[in-house]
């Protein structure tokens, strides 16, 4: 258990050190990320072998901290650390060339720590705090791009604050009704009391949906991704927006009474479907590759909403697995996609789709990374995305009344195939080859490829994974 | 683990590993790349030969890897899969030789041969897949591996064809995945077995089973180019000749047809198909595809495009034979799986030779080629004769079994379809042969001297000559043990003698 | 037969010819050899094409004679028919190409019909592939029609002869000899082998077939009189003679069991007789047309002609007598009519022979190279074989002897005499047919062209693709949605408000 706390503290320490010792900031943060990996792996192994561990930091009667380490949180922490490490490695390999600000490193380290706090705590107040801070860090990261990012960052900041506020309102309401922040106590309280938690729940939902850029509250996301540096986009799409999604799932799965869950199910199914279709279509028609991937994020989160909505009405364990698998696969795939796109835009110079013409010759590895990550987004076997989709499909087929959802998934898959291959096909264009001397460095490309390979590796590792996710 | 259970995996890996290695090679490593290619080819041939021998003797090759809950990744060598494995490894062998000659001196060869090897690995994996989930997996991988080959030339036309190809095949793949998930949700994904495994569900879920069948066939029909889903195939002929050859003869089109065979015999099984009354649907679909493809082929001016429409028509023979649900028709369909592959690959090799050596793309430009390139022209003639179904060629046997099977299975009107298709085949192939052999030569569009001794580069010449010889031998020596006909009979014997 | 046939296609089986088939095989082989001999020095252009086609067609012909199974027969039949296309088209000019096209179209059609017919037969026999196994299976109207058409297209009797008068003259002389002598007999052989005698359905069709046969005999001979090219005349003579052979076949089918052997011998004898004389005549026609001949060639030219008009002592008299005898002994209805038609047919044949002789005479001794020795040898062998046929064809010797009786000689001679008279009168009067009747063009060529237009490739302009109207507005909307715009924000707020209102009210 202490391992986890060490893992939590390490990035924090690295962030502080990086602020003091700026010349070595990059290496420090990278080293912390590297060290975290074995720590978290061991922690995962421990928790898998010996079961969930409560994490009580206070010995007083009124427990301040309701932290808990379950196999799921351990796994998610490992995922966060891996994505963080991969993005950090990529950034380390070429941050000078890319002109990435030095402040990226402490901020990135903070993201990791805050995320760990959020995952470990089962407590509304901590959730609010860590999420609020995470939002601020995210805005700061977007701001790293300089002046051109101000407008997008400002909007992000305002909306993020609005979302947090809405969430806070819900938290306060709940506390006033049930007198606790702890999720477990709230669950009991809601079951026992006659007070109506609906308003609080929906307020929190609204706030979280705004922060997670869930359809229809997503419109700030593409603009923010468009201006942010590649590494930031990767962190943002891969990690940061997953935090509110995690909370959304925890809230609804724990707090919703059957009556509320019924309404919630309809709402999430509806928004999820619309997210898949509208986001997919926007991505298909986006004029810039980064915009495309950003819209794809909006669309892919729709799968999460679908899984949530279905879980609320079906309560199948495989839907839960599907949800977490979506989160993991999407995080890795998006990280790879953004890194690859950033690398190619950097080397080939240009932001438009046409930049990618002939990329399979000039930068084959980066292009391959993008294609492989895209394959997981589409859900091609044997990728993590496929695994998640499979877990979603199989219970769906058993419930014939959900055929519209099946249709939506089919269309969503086709749309995602459409936008991914829109990029990939361009890469095979041969009419305008680069000048003969052009040579892109290989290492950053390999590093961009890593998350993509990992997401395909998930499929090979599927059985234990599904087991830990509560099979 | 004993050696036998690893053999299927090695058969897949024997081209996968060289393929991955080739990706990393620089363009100018000609010798190393060629030796990797040919080494993989020969190794695979050896392994497949051994496995073929074993399967014939009744040996069971079974490899399993955990993949999805309740649906492991299974590689299983049974008689049916060996038919396809043998076809693809033999034809891959000649196509590799052809491709090495064809691409000599052109850019991006490492990328090409890398994907080329991946493509064959996916095909072989697909052939060996032991359950529906593994099949879907390799089916999608095949799509992905072939796409870079289709767009290899990188021209605007190639990219357009590539987009179209993807639009069709990915949609098909998704639909297939949905169908597989539906069946998996009902009964799991057991290993393919003769007679199918859906019998227990028949009483309760007949409607759902019909839906699953429609989904699976729609998904497979894209690659098998069944009627409304064939649009990608004629476009994809912009690819380099070896790719067209491989696409049309082995990899993609056949994967679809083979999948239909699997679904009909080993998932649903003849009895379930009969009780659900699904066979006639497929028969009608295949028949209309046969006639439509031949009809469209007649109207084409471009040589490769005509061949492509001919593929649309010919591949549906396989579906037709399988869909009629009788043993004799099944022999016809299964043997045509091989026969069509060998015949069509010959034709595409020859078309590639004409295009490479003389710059011939249009049918009007073929005049008098027979005297300039006699060996290629002879090979082309044999391939075309096979397609028409003239006696002594392999095509005739397929047609004979299909037709007798149709009568036996109670579809006498299919005879008319076969005759009509043969007549149209004759109508679109014989004028070509007429131009090749009997008309005086006009100046060639773009002649290149590829060899001083032969009519073209020997690597381009040898493959079509070999496959053309095969067309004849498979027809004449059909009674030998190693002929596709005997093997198809063995398959049918095993598929129809369950309980 | 032996172990190795098991390696071949399903059901493959061979047997050495026996009984009457020895003669059939023998005359076929002899014809091919003589044609090859004749070709050796007379074929000067496009040799490769000629010899490849020739050898393949010969192999096909021999294969179909030796095969005992359905697929083997079909293989040989198709190989022969299709390879012969190369022979028909060998000259390469427009007429040859047109004739070749028609020939090929009908050959393919015939193949398909034959394929269907054989298939249905085999299916009725539950998959038995040996020809012998099909004999006990009853015919259906469909199979009978298919087989009659499929094989009849090759045999070339009226009205399936349309390709024959075009293709035979177009081919080089030795090829015409084998086409007329050997190849069209294969169609007849097929009919003989695949249609079981005594089959009730077939028996009921026999009177019609007999009339068809005699109609073909008269039609061919009469049409031949309208033509002025010696090879066309010979081709029509083949149509006419195929009619007689079909009649012999009808007799075989109609004969009761105990007489079947005799009928078989008559059929084979007639085929043998016609094969030898017709190939000799074709060689004669070619030699006369292209070479300067010496006088003794005249004898080679004359003898087959005499055999054709069935002059006593010739093999023609022998088989014609056999035919008459067969007709009168048969149980066919309307006998008197058949007798009369036979007599009229003999007259027509004699007229045809005189007509041909007149045409040949016009070409006789025109300047040209002298006939090569090998060609003379081949021609001579054929004539000799034809001449000596009454000697070695022992099975028909009784008929030959009977044809030497006074009444038979008289019956054989009066048509010839009448024909001489008519011909002489015609020559004297100088009467000519109306021009419209002379050298009538076959309508078949028109049909062939029409068919060709059906599969001839035509280039068509591609339609210009335009962006559909909805794509324009979609593009506009998409720009707004994707970039800075208030629209999604407004949507989101509205939706959220709605949600809140609903929540608060409920």
């Amino acid at each position: 258990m202490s391992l986890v706390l060490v893992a939590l503290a390490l990035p924090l320490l690295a962030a502080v050190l990086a602020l003091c010792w700026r010349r070595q900031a990059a290496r420090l943060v990278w080293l912390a990320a590297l060290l975290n990996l074995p720590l978290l792996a061991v922690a995962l192994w421990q928790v898998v072998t010996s079961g969930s561990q409560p994490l009580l930091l206070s010995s007083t009667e009124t427990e301040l901290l309701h932290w808990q380490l379950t196999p799921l949180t351990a796994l998610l922490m490992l995922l966060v650390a891996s994505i963080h490490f991969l993005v950090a490695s990529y950034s380390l390999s070429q941050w000078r060339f890319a002109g990435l600000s030095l402040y990226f490193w402490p901020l990135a380290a903070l993201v990791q720590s805050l995320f760990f706090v959020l995952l470990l705590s089962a407590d509304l107040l901590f959730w609010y705090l860590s999420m609020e801070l995470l939002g601020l860090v995210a805005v700061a990261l977007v701001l790293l791009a300089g002046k051109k990012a101000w407008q997008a960052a400002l909007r992000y900041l305002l909306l993020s604050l609005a979302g947090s506020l809405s969430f806070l309102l819900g938290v306060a309401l709940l506390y006033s009704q049930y007198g606790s922040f702890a999720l477990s106590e709230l669950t009991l309280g809601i079951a026992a009391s006659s007070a109506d938690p609906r308003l609080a729940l929906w307020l929190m939902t609204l706030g979280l949906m705004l922060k997670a850029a869930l359809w229809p509250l997503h419109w700030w996301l593409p603009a923010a991704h468009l201006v942010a540096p590649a590494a930031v986009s990767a962190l943002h799409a891969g990690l940061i927006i997953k935090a509110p999604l995690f909370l959304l799932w925890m809230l609804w799965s724990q707090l919703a009474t059957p009556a509320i869950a019924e309404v919630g199910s309809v709402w999430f199914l509806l928004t999820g479907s619309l997210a898949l279709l509208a986001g997919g279509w926007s991505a298909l028609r986006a004029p810039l590759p980064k915009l495309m991937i950003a819209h794809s994020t909006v669309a892919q989160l729709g799968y999460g909403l679908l899984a949530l909505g279905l879980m609320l009405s079906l309560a199948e364990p495989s839907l839960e697995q599907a949800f977490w698998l979506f989160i993991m696969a999407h995080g890795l795939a998006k990280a790879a996609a953004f890194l690859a796109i950033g690398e190619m835009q950097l080397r080939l110079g240009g932001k438009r789709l046409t930049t990618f013409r002939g990329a399979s010759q000039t930068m084959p590895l980066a292009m391959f990374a993008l294609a492989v990550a895209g394959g997981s987004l589409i859900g091609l076997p044997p990728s993590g995305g496929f695994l998640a989709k499979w877990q979603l499909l199989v219970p769906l087929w058993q419930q014939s009344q959900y055929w519209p959802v099946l249709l939506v998934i089919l269309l969503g898959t086709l749309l995602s195939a459409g936008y991914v291959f829109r990029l990939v096909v361009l890469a095979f264009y041969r009419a305008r080859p680069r000048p003969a001397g052009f040579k892109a460095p290989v290492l950053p490309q390999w590093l961009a490829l890593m998350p993509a390979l990992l997401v395909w590796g998930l499929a090979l590792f599927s059985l234990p994974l599904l087991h830990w996710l509560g099979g | 683990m004993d050696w036998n259970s690893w053999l299927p995996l090695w058969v897949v890996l024997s081209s996968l590993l060289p393929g991955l290695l080739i990706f990393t090679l620089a363009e100018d490593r000609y010798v190393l790349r060629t030796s990797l290619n040919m080494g993989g080819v020969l190794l695979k041939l050896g392994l497949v030969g051994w496995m073929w021998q074993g399967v014939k003797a009744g040996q069971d090759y079974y490899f399993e890897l955990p993949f999805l809950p309740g649906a492991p990744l299974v590689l299983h060598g049974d008689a049916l899969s060996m038919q396809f494995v043998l076809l693809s490894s033999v034809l891959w062998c000649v196509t590799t030789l052809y491709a090495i000659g064809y691409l000599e001196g052109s850019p991006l060869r490492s990328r090409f041969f890398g994907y080329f090897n991946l493509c064959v690995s996916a095909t072989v994996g697909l052939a060996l897949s032991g359950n529906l989930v593994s099949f879907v997996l390799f089916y999608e991988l095949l799509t992905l591996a072939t796409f870079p080959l289709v767009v290899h030339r990188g021209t605007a036309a190639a990219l357009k064809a590539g987009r179209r190809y993807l639009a069709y095949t990915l949609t098909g793949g998704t639909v297939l995945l949905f169908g597989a998930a539906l069946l998996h949700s009902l009964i799991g994904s057991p290993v393919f077995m003769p007679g199918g495994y859906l019998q227990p569900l028949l009483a309760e879920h007949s409607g759902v089973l019909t839906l699953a069948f429609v989904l699976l066939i729609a998904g497979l029909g894209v690659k098998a180019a069944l009627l409304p889903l064939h649009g990608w195939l004629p476009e994809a002929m912009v690819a380099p000749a070896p790719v067209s050859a491989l696409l049309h003869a082995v990899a993609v089109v056949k994967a679809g047809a083979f999948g239909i065979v699997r679904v009909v015999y080993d998932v649903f099984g003849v009895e379930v198909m009969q009780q659900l009354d699904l066979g006639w649907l497929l028969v009608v679909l295949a028949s209309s595809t046969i006639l439509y493809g031949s009809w469209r082929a007649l109207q084409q001016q471009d040589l490769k495009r005509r061949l492509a429409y001919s593929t649309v028509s010919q591949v549906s023979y396989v579906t037709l034979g399988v869909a009629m649900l009788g043993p004799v028709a099944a022999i016809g369909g299964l043997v045509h799986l091989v026969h069509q592959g060998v015949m069509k690959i010959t034709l595409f090799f020859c078309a590639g030779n004409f295009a490479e050596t003389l710059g011939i793309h249009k049918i009007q430009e073929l005049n008098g080629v027979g005297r300039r390139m006699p060996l290629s022209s002879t090979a082309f003639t044999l391939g075309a004769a096979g397609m028409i179904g003239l006696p002594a060629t392999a095509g005739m046997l397929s047609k004979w079994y299909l037709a007798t099977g149709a009568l036996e299975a109670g579809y006498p009107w299919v005879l008319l379809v076969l005759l009509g298709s043969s007549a149209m085949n004759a109508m679109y192939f014989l004028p070509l042969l007429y131009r090749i052999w009997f008309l005086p030569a006009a100046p060639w569009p773009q002649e290149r001297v590829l060899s001083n001794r032969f009519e073209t580069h020997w690597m381009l010449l040898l493959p079509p000559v070999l496959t053309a010889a095969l067309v004849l031998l498979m027809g004449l020596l059909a009674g030998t043990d190693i002929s596709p006909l005997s093997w198809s009979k063995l398959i049918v014997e095993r598929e129809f003698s369950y309980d | 037969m032996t172990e190795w046939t098991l390696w071949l296609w399903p059901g493959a089986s061979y047997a050495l010819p026996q009984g009457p088939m020895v003669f059939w095989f023998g005359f076929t082989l002899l014809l091919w050899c003589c044609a090859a001999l004749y070709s050796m020095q007379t074929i000067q252009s496009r040799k490769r094409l000629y010899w490849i086609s020739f050898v393949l067609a010969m192999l096909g012909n021999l294969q179909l004679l030796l095969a005992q199974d359905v697929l083997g027969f079909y293989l040989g039949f198709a190989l022969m028919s299709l390879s012969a296309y190369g022979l028909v088209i060998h000259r390469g000019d427009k007429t040859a190409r047109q004739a070749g096209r028609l020939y090929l179209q009908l050959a393919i059609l015939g193949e398909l019909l034959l394929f269907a017919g054989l298939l249905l037969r085999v299916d009725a026999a539950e998959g038995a592939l040996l020809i012998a196994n099909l004999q006990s299976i009853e015919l259906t109207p469909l199979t009978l029609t298919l087989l009659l058409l499929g094989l009849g297209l090759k045999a070339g009797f009226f009205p399936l002869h349309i390709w024959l008068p075009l293709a035979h003259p177009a081919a080089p002389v030795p090829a015409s000899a084998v086409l007329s002598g050997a190849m069209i007999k294969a169609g007849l052989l097929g009919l003989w082998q695949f249609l079981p005698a005594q089959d009730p359905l077939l028996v009921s069709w026999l009177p019609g077939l007999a009339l068809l046969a005699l109609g073909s005999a008269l039609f061919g001979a009469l049409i031949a009189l309208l033509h002025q090219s010696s090879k066309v005349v010979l081709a029509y003579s083949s149509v006419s003679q195929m009619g007689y052979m079909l009649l012999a076949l009808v007799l075989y089918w109609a004969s009761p069991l105990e007489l079947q052997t005799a009928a078989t011998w008559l059929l084979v004898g007639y085929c043998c007789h016609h094969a030898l004389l017709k190939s000799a005549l074709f060689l004669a026609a070619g030699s006369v047309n292209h070479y300067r001949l010496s006088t003794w060639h005249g004898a080679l030219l004359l003898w087959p002609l005499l055999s054709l008009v069935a002059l006593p002592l010739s093999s023609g008299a022998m088989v014609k007598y056999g035919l008459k005898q067969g007709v009168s002994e048969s149980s066919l209805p309307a006998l008197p009519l058949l007798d009369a038609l036979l007599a009229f047919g003999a007259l027509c044949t004699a007229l045809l022979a005189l007509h041909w002789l007149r045409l040949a005479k016009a070409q006789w001794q025109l300047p040209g190279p002298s006939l090569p020795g090998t060609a003379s040898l081949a021609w001579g062998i054929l004539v000799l074989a034809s001449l000596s046929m009454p000697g070695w064809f022992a099975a028909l010797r009784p008929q030959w002897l009977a044809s030497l009786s006074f009444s038979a000689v008289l019956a054989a001679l009066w048509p010839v005499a009448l024909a001489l008279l008519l011909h002489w009168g015609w020559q004297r009067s100088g009467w000519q047919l109306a021009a419209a009747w002379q050298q009538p063009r076959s309508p078949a060529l028109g049909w062939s062209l029409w068919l060709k237009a059906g599969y001839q490739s035509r280039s068509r302009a591609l339609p210009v693709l335009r962006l559909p109207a909805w794509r324009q507005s979609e593009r506009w909307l998409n720009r707004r949605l994707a970039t800075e715009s208030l629209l999604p924000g407004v949507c989101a707020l509205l939706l959220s408000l709605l949600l809140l209102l609903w929540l608060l009210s409920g």
Side-chain angles (χ1 to χ4, degrees), chain B residues 39-330:
Chain B
V41 165
L42 297 178
L43 178 64
K44 187 192 284 290
L45 267 186
L47 291 174
V48 168
W50 186 0
M51 199 161 154
W52 181 85
Q53 193 64 36
V55 168
K56 197 174 162 208
Q59 173 83 38
D60 199 35
Y61 297 96
Y62 185 88
F63 173 81
E64 185 179 306
L65 197 72
F67 178 49
L68 289 176
L73 186 64
V74 174
L75 295 177
H76 183 210
D78 59 6
L80 178 57
S81 54
M82 286 322 289
Q83 173 106 327
F84 194 26
V85 169
L86 203 62
L87 170 75
S88 43
S89 39
V90 169
L91 290 191
W92 179 47
C93 180
V94 283
T95 314
T96 304
L97 194 66
Y98 188 82
I100 292 172
Y102 187 88
L103 290 174
E104 200 156 85
S106 71
L108 295 177
R109 272 172 292 167
S110 284
R111 186 181 86 182
F112 180 88
F113 281 107
Y115 283 117
F116 198 67
N117 280 301
L118 289 196
C119 180
V120 174
S121 311
T123 311
V124 171
L126 183 135
L128 287 170
S129 315
N131 59 21
L132 207 50
V133 170
S134 321
F135 185 88
V136 172
L137 174 83
F138 285 108
Y139 194 78
E140 296 281 16
L141 288 181
L142 182 62
T143 305
L144 301 181
T146 40
F147 165 71
L149 300 178
V150 173
V151 297
H152 181 74
R153 288 216 167 116
T155 57
L159 293 197
K160 186 163 167 259
R163 285 197 190 99
R164 192 149 188 192
Y165 171 68
L166 278 177
Y168 274 92
T169 47
L170 282 176
T171 311
T174 313
V175 172
L176 179 69
L177 171 68
F178 273 57
L182 170 55
L183 284 185
H184 182 85
S185 75
L186 291 175
I187 198 170
S189 291
V191 176
F192 292 136
M193 60 180 93
Y197 51 74
L198 299 179
Q199 198 79 40
L201 300 175
L202 195 57
E204 250 182 290
H205 295 282
S206 63
V208 183
L209 286 187
T210 310
L211 174 66
F213 183 76
V214 170
L215 284 174
L216 292 175
I217 293 301
L220 295 165
V222 171
K223 281 202 175 134
L226 281 180
L227 186 50
L229 311 171
H230 66 281
W232 61 274
L233 188 62
E235 298 297 321
M237 59 90 210
V238 298
V243 177
S244 298
L246 209 61
L247 284 189
H248 283 263
V250 198
V252 176
V253 177
K254 280 307 162 50
F258 178 77
I260 292 178
V261 179
R262 275 288 192 214
V263 165
V264 169
Y265 286 135
D266 293 346
V267 175
F268 279 78
V270 173
E271 280 167 35
V272 175
M273 290 282 296
Q274 275 163 351
Q275 280 165 32
L276 290 175
D277 206 13
L278 291 171
W280 68 270
L281 194 77
L282 211 49
V283 174
V284 171
L285 199 62
S287 303
S288 34
T289 311
I290 289 174
L291 292 178
Y292 175 81
S294 301
W295 174 245
R296 286 306 301 275
L298 269 177
Q299 300 164 351
Q300 305 305 319
Q301 299 286 316
D302 188 290
L303 180 56
K304 277 178 92 179
R305 199 175 266 272
R306 183 171 281 200
L307 293 182
Y309 272 109
S310 152
T311 308
V312 172
S313 160
Q314 292 278 334
V315 166
S316 285
Y317 279 24
V318 181
T319 312
L320 181 69
V322 168
M324 288 191 286
L325 302 176
V328 182

Side-chain angles (χ1 to χ4, degrees), chain A residues 35-390:
Chain A
L35 286 176
N36 259 356
L37 285 182
L39 284 180
L40 289 170
V42 174
L44 175 64
W45 178 71
Q46 279 179 349
V47 78
V48 163
T49 47
S50 57
S52 303
Q53 301 165 355
L55 194 63
L56 297 174
L57 289 189
S58 138
S59 55
T60 54
E61 290 291 304
T62 56
E63 293 163 10
L64 261 181
L65 291 172
H66 300 271
W67 289 15
Q68 200 182 22
L69 187 70
T70 59
L72 174 65
T73 46
L75 192 62
L76 289 177
M77 283 174 84
L78 187 59
L79 172 81
V80 170
S82 321
I83 293 181
H84 190 266
F85 171 71
L86 291 167
V87 174
S89 309
Y90 168 78
S91 307
L92 184 69
S93 75
Q94 56 106 293
W95 62 282
R96 280 179 217 280
F97 182 81
L100 195 61
S101 159
L102 269 179
Y103 289 105
F104 170 76
W105 299 102
L107 289 173
L110 274 180
V111 168
Q112 195 180 7
S113 284
L114 289 171
F115 212 116
F116 285 170
V117 172
L118 189 126
L119 288 173
L120 285 170
S121 54
D123 181 305
L124 291 183
L125 198 59
F126 268 95
W127 280 354
Y128 166 70
L129 286 174
S130 50
M131 200 177 62
E132 180 72 57
L133 287 172
L134 207 54
L136 292 176
V137 170
V139 172
L141 278 170
V142 172
L143 269 175
L144 289 180
K147 205 170 173 183
K148 61 180 176 179
W150 285 5
Q151 200 193 358
L154 187 65
R155 187 186 300 141
Y156 182 19
L157 178 67
L158 286 176
L159 287 172
S160 175
L161 286 178
S164 304
L165 221 59
S166 174
F167 185 77
L168 185 62
L169 206 58
V171 172
L173 260 177
L174 279 184
Y175 189 73
S176 71
Q177 282 169 322
Y178 306 103
S180 171
F181 290 121
L183 204 57
S184 47
E185 288 173 25
L186 281 175
T187 315
L188 294 174
I190 288 172
S193 148
S194 62
D196 193 355
R198 270 198 292 179
L199 181 60
L201 203 55
W202 281 107
L203 274 173
M204 288 196 281
T205 306
L206 197 64
L208 292 173
M209 285 182 76
L210 191 57
K211 290 190 75 111
L214 296 178
W215 203 92
L217 306 171
H218 66 279
W219 73 95
W220 56 271
L221 182 86
H225 274 183
L226 196 57
V227 293
V232 173
S233 296
L235 273 188
H236 195 266
L239 293 181
I240 296 175
I241 57 165
K242 299 297 182 328
L245 207 60
F246 170 77
L247 295 189
L248 200 62
W249 175 275
M250 296 309 274
L251 283 181
W252 279 92
S253 61
Q254 305 279 331
L255 297 185
T257 58
I260 306 176
E262 209 174 302
V263 181
S265 162
V266 175
W267 167 248
F268 288 123
L269 285 180
L270 200 67
T271 49
S273 308
L274 286 171
L276 257 180
L277 300 180
W281 186 257
S282 294
L284 191 63
R285 310 287 291 127
L288 304 173
K290 276 190 104 174
L291 209 56
M292 174 188 286
I293 302 298
H295 279 300
S296 141
T297 305
V298 175
Q300 294 280 317
L301 293 180
Y303 283 123
L305 288 180
L306 282 184
L308 179 57
L310 287 171
M311 197 278 297
L312 288 177
S313 61
L314 291 181
E316 278 267 344
S318 84
L319 288 169
E320 199 174 337
Q321 296 166 343
F323 181 82
W324 298 120
L325 281 170
F326 269 121
I327 294 221
M328 297 173 74
H330 179 251
L332 287 167
K334 269 294 144 63
F338 270 117
L339 294 183
I341 285 185
E343 177 69 14
M344 281 190 279
Q345 288 189 342
L346 197 65
R347 304 284 171 186
L348 300 173
K351 283 190 166 178
R352 306 199 63 83
L353 280 171
T354 44
T355 312
F356 291 82
R357 283 193 172 173
S360 74
Q361 296 157 66
T362 44
M363 302 186 67
L365 275 171
M367 198 57 228
F368 185 62
L370 183 61
V372 169
S376 174
L377 293 181
I378 303 170
L380 294 176
S383 64
F386 165 75
L387 208 58
K389 198 172 280 174
W390 181 265

